[in-house]
Amino acid sequence: MNTPTTPQLDTIPQRIASLRAAMAKAGVDACLVPSSDPHLSEYLPQRWQARRWLSGFTGSMGTLIVSADFAGVWADSRYWVQAEHELAGTGITLMKIDTAASSLHLQWLADTLKAGQTLAVDGDVLSLAAAKALQAALVPRGVIVRSDLDLIDAVYAGRPALPTAAVYQHEAAFAPDSRAAKLGRVREAMREAGAERHFLSTLDDIAWLFNLRGADVNYNPVFIAHALIESDSATLFVAPGKIDDALAAQLAADGVRVADYAATKPALSALPGGSLLIDPRRVTLGLRQAVADGVKVIEAINPSTLMKSRKSAAEAEHVRRAMEQDGAALAELFAWFEANVNRARITELTIDEQITAARARRPGFVSPSFGTIAGFNANGALPHYHATPEAHSEIQGDGLLLIDSGGQYLGGTTDITRVVAVGTPSAAQKRDFTLVLKGTMALSMAHFPRGTLSPMLDALARAPLWQQDIDFGHGTGHGVGYFLNVHEGPQSISRAVPEPHMAMQEGMITSIEPGVYRAGQWGVRIENLVLNVASDKNQFGDFLKFETLTLCPIDRRCIDHSLLTRPEIDWLNGYHAEVRARLLPLVDGAARDWLLANTEAL
């Protein structure tokens, strides 16, 4: 922890007032606090939870803006209910936006700030893309944008230091491609791009490239670092003490030098000319500005982002084994649940405890891959709902329980959503469940040309819902890492604007998770992970299809059979037959009985 330099601020209004005082002292009229860190991570280490500390809003996405007479958090529809509750009484206004990609906060700044006024934002946590959008919105209006100030340090007494967890080698048995081989592939991509050096900051890219893992970020087994790759060497910038001598020697044998994390900017400033490859969407403004003036900067997607998205045959086989262990854990969880629901007291918090305990009993389990979402009835209608000790529901009576959870295993990352019946589901609930299932199956059965841009597949999962004038507000699917981030790119099955790097290639793992959310009533989401595999190559092209990786029964009690077609029934029966065959050797007792009963054919 840093040595406190200002009194501890215990309330949100006190923290905002202290920030305003620091702004006035620095001659700043407004301060923008994004939800980001120097690595543009999804889950932030405590040191960079500035927006959360200042506002009290704990959602994973959101932008805080503070001026002399206004403070607001811009948050999308996933967080409105949560934000209204958490911001109540703080003097901070919830500014509702439709999606996380909204630029309404930029419009507010442009409309509010006058020519000659100054906006401060910490450039070390601002992406290049966000910086360009900010400059475009404000500079033509005469607003000064300062990115050289970290006002948080001026007001955050006891601000957490960098995480200190040790970095460790991803076990060779689960890392089939060597560090040297991966570095060689990246260097070949550098040469093709005309770059002599390559700088990267994204933590999952670094972990994948160096076959290292850590515990600096909740849920993702990564560590805080930057990396500089050169033609015959590499430098890994990590806080002192995180890499022991033995691991440093192994890295040195592969031409990798370990340097202090604090030396990153000086190293960029000292580059002796030449060309440097950076990914403008995956590096911050502060790091880009540190690059020496004489260096030719080449902007392109990190080669490792594309490479790590395409799992090798050996990695895919490890993922299959991890999915079997995960499915066995879920069989234990659901067997326990059905034996106790409406008999013993079970809350949404109990589900999280039980599912984590079941996974922890499985070989290779490391941690959850994200915070479990367990929402009963109305809470299931909130896609990013999280039960807390202060606010949660007991699971009793009739209805639907939505459980979205996942695990990190040495051989893969899992992410699954199932909805199960509690008591007797209504006809309307069964209809919604079946429509979502039809969407999941429609996309799961798709064949498509290799290189299809992933957003183009989104409508396949929505079509059964659209036919009933129903839609959902989140994406249909996201990429998933290999014992890495549960959300990774570049592919995204969503309404995103298609870009060339989103092309679907063999080996990519993606989620399929359509949903229906009826506010105040219930929510349904059915999620499986799928692997892109070869289908056929003929006169019409080279085709891919999906192999469903997730292994867990889909609750047949929630299905309206009259809405299913024969091919859909065949797909579901085939899926359940495979689930039974692969999980049966891994379970016994009540879990075995539950598995047999819930994989019967329709």
Side-chain angles (χ1 to χ4, degrees):
M1 303 285 284
N2 291 346
T3 301
T5 56
T6 60
Q8 186 66 44
L9 304 174
D10 294 325
T11 70
I12 301 304
Q14 285 177 330
R15 294 171 185 177
I16 296 296
S18 181
L19 176 62
R20 285 182 171 134
M23 289 163 52
K25 184 176 180 180
V28 168
D29 300 284
C31 180
L32 185 152
V33 185
S35 300
S36 62
D37 66 4
H39 308 274
L40 306 178
S41 306
E42 177 181 10
Y43 297 106
L44 307 181
Q46 288 300 314
R47 177 169 181 77
W48 290 292
Q49 292 276 9
R51 186 266 300 156
R52 178 174 182 167
W53 180 80
L54 277 167
S55 70
F57 169 56
T58 62
S60 60
M61 300 290 291
T63 300
L64 170 67
I65 296 176
V66 177
S67 67
D69 56 5
F70 175 83
V73 168
W74 278 254
D76 67 69
S77 58
R78 297 171 296 172
Y79 302 105
W80 289 350
V81 173
Q82 175 185 349
E84 285 174 345
H85 171 73
E86 293 178 339
L87 296 177
T90 65
I92 301 173
T93 302
L94 169 62
M95 307 294 284
K96 294 182 177 180
I97 55 178
D98 291 333
T99 70
S102 170
S103 60
L104 288 180
H105 66 289
L106 299 180
Q107 188 61 54
W108 184 91
L109 287 168
D111 292 342
T112 304
L113 296 180
K114 305 292 190 294
Q117 290 191 305
T118 298
L119 170 75
V121 57
D122 181 5
D124 284 344
V125 300
L126 186 70
S127 73
L128 274 182
K132 290 176 181 177
L134 196 61
Q135 295 278 356
L138 300 185
V139 172
R141 295 174 179 255
V143 177
I144 300 165
V145 178
R146 288 195 62 181
S147 60
D148 60 334
L149 292 176
D150 182 2
L151 293 176
I152 306 305
D153 259 349
V155 300
Y156 195 168
R159 185 178 186 180
L162 289 173
T164 59
V167 176
Y168 60 93
Q169 185 91 5
H170 190 194
E171 291 184 20
F174 297 100
D177 298 321
S178 71
R179 178 165 44 242
K182 290 178 177 178
L183 284 166
R185 290 167 60 193
V186 168
R187 288 182 177 121
E188 178 59 31
M190 290 163 51
R191 286 191 289 271
E192 292 176 359
E196 299 166 86
R197 299 178 182 86
H198 171 40
F199 177 77
L200 63 164
S201 290
T202 37
L203 303 184
D204 58 332
D205 281 300
I206 293 170
W208 176 87
L209 181 58
F210 292 93
N211 278 350
L212 300 174
R213 297 295 188 269
D216 287 351
V217 178
N218 286 343
Y219 309 119
N220 296 335
V222 296
F223 56 97
I224 303 301
H226 299 287
L228 181 64
I229 316 299
E230 302 187 66
S231 60
D232 57 0
S233 64
T235 303
L236 193 59
F237 299 93
V238 187
K242 293 178 66 65
I243 293 179
D244 63 26
D245 292 342
L247 181 53
Q250 294 178 41
L251 290 166
D254 288 325
V256 179
R257 181 176 71 93
V258 177
D260 192 332
Y261 182 82
T264 305
K265 280 189 174 182
L268 291 173
S269 299
L271 289 177
S275 53
L276 178 70
L277 172 65
I278 64 169
D279 187 335
R281 297 188 181 183
R282 295 170 176 84
V283 73
T284 65
L285 174 66
L287 288 164
R288 172 63 183 87
Q289 290 177 331
V291 176
D293 290 338
V295 175
K296 176 185 177 183
V297 173
I298 299 170
E299 295 189 352
I301 190 170
N302 287 336
S304 51
T305 298
L306 295 167
M307 293 172 186
K308 79 179 188 312
S309 72
R310 301 166 190 174
K311 282 63 178 177
S312 67
E315 289 172 333
E317 192 57 31
H318 284 306
V319 172
R320 293 184 184 100
R321 302 290 81 80
M323 291 290 178
E324 291 170 354
Q325 295 298 335
D326 205 59
L330 290 166
E332 292 179 359
L333 176 280
F334 286 122
W336 163 83
F337 179 74
E338 290 196 8
N340 289 278
V341 68
N342 283 329
R343 296 179 181 88
R345 186 175 188 274
I346 300 175
T347 72
E348 295 163 336
L349 295 173
T350 317
I351 297 297
D352 184 23
E353 295 166 0
Q354 291 288 332
I355 204 167
T356 301
R359 286 191 167 108
R361 293 190 288 269
R362 290 288 148 183
F365 177 76
V366 176
S367 74
S369 57
F370 57 96
T372 299
I373 298 171
F376 181 52
N377 281 346
N379 291 339
L382 304 171
H384 283 240
Y385 169 78
H386 284 283
T388 66
E390 298 76 26
H392 61 269
S393 293
E394 185 172 349
I395 302 166
Q396 61 179 344
D398 297 322
L400 299 177
L401 171 64
L402 184 153
I403 305 174
D404 188 351
S405 69
Q408 293 285 6
Y409 296 81
L410 292 173
T413 301
T414 72
D415 181 4
I416 174 175
T417 307
R418 288 294 183 265
V419 171
V420 295
V422 177
T424 303
S426 68
Q429 289 170 334
K430 292 171 73 171
R431 177 176 178 272
D432 280 352
F433 183 97
T434 309
L435 291 174
V436 172
L437 176 58
K438 287 171 72 71
T440 301
M441 292 191 293
L443 186 49
S444 299
M445 290 188 280
H447 291 222
F448 46 92
R450 185 186 301 267
T452 295
L453 300 182
S454 53
M456 295 174 65
L457 300 173
D458 182 72
L460 296 178
R462 295 182 191 270
L465 297 163
W466 284 349
Q467 287 179 341
Q468 303 300 321
D469 299 322
I470 298 171
D471 199 6
F472 53 95
H474 56 75
T476 295
H478 55 84
V480 177
Y482 176 68
F483 184 37
L484 277 174
N485 293 6
V486 73
H487 297 137
E488 75 167 23
Q491 79 277 22
S492 171
I493 302 176
S494 65
R495 287 167 167 163
V497 177
E499 297 184 51
H501 60 256
M502 294 178 174
M504 293 293 263
Q505 301 293 343
E506 194 168 352
M508 288 180 166
I509 294 177
T510 314
S511 68
I512 296 177
E513 47 182 310
V516 168
Y517 309 97
R518 297 191 182 274
Q521 299 182 70
W522 62 78
V524 177
R525 183 165 65 253
I526 300 172
E527 176 185 15
N528 287 334
L529 301 189
V530 294
L531 174 70
N532 290 359
V533 296
S535 177
D536 190 21
K537 190 172 185 179
N538 55 37
Q539 61 180 319
F540 301 106
D542 187 0
F543 285 79
L544 298 175
K545 61 183 178 181
F546 291 127
E547 172 193 338
T548 298
L549 295 169
T550 303
L551 299 169
C552 182
I554 293 167
D555 195 338
R556 294 166 307 143
R557 298 169 299 178
C558 298
I559 297 175
D560 181 341
H561 295 199
S562 69
L563 297 177
L564 296 183
T565 65
R566 186 71 250 175
E568 290 169 338
I569 292 172
D570 290 343
W571 184 93
L572 188 60
N573 286 340
Y575 175 68
H576 278 157
E578 181 174 6
V579 169
R580 174 185 288 198
R582 292 174 61 184
L583 298 190
L584 209 54
L586 301 176
V587 295
D588 54 25
R592 178 184 176 88
D593 294 341
W594 178 88
L595 179 66
L596 289 170
N598 284 273
T599 51
E600 291 287 343
L602 285 184

